Amino acid sequence: MLISGPSVDKYDAVSDFAAIASDQADIDAHARFPDHVANLIRIRDILLARRRLFAQDAAAYPVVTMGRAGDIITVSRMLTELDGIIEQEKRLASEPA
């Protein structure tokens, strides 16, 4: 059974969004991994694996070929942009503070 939420005039969006947003403890936990280049490379590796899975899916199930081709193009564009971001972060990391 669904319970209805508060009426619009009593809804507190700020506290509701705060419940989903990261709190300071989460931010502090992520600060233990300050190597931005390594984090971006990890994301790149995940996207590469996903692109390969999309291609494998299209080969195994021809009915999804067009959809997976679109997915592959989208991921490829993300990878292109991510490569540029990785290079930018490498340059920023090599600059003196």
Side-chain angles (χ1 to χ4, degrees):
M1 175 181 216
L2 297 176
I3 300 172
S4 62
S7 63
V8 175
D9 58 332
K10 294 182 181 176
Y11 177 68
D12 185 5
V14 174
S15 66
D16 196 27
F17 293 143
I20 354 180
S22 296
D23 60 5
Q24 190 61 41
D26 289 340
I27 294 169
D28 292 340
H30 291 293
R32 293 178 301 180
F33 307 103
D35 187 356
H36 306 299
V37 175
N39 294 337
L40 290 167
I41 290 173
R42 170 138 170 69
I43 293 170
R44 186 181 188 282
D45 292 343
I46 291 169
L47 288 173
L48 279 172
R50 182 58 53 103
R51 185 174 67 181
R52 291 173 184 147
L53 287 174
F54 286 154
Q56 182 180 353
D57 194 29
Y61 306 102
V63 71
V64 300
T65 300
M66 291 301 291
R68 289 304 183 211
D71 294 336
I72 291 168
I73 290 168
T74 300
V75 171
S76 295
R77 288 178 181 158
M78 285 184 214
L79 285 166
T80 301
E81 292 296 322
L82 195 55
D83 286 338
I85 293 168
I86 290 170
E87 290 305 313
Q88 181 185 32
E89 284 292 334
K90 286 179 180 178
R91 281 192 310 274
L92 290 171
S94 66
E95 290 178 1

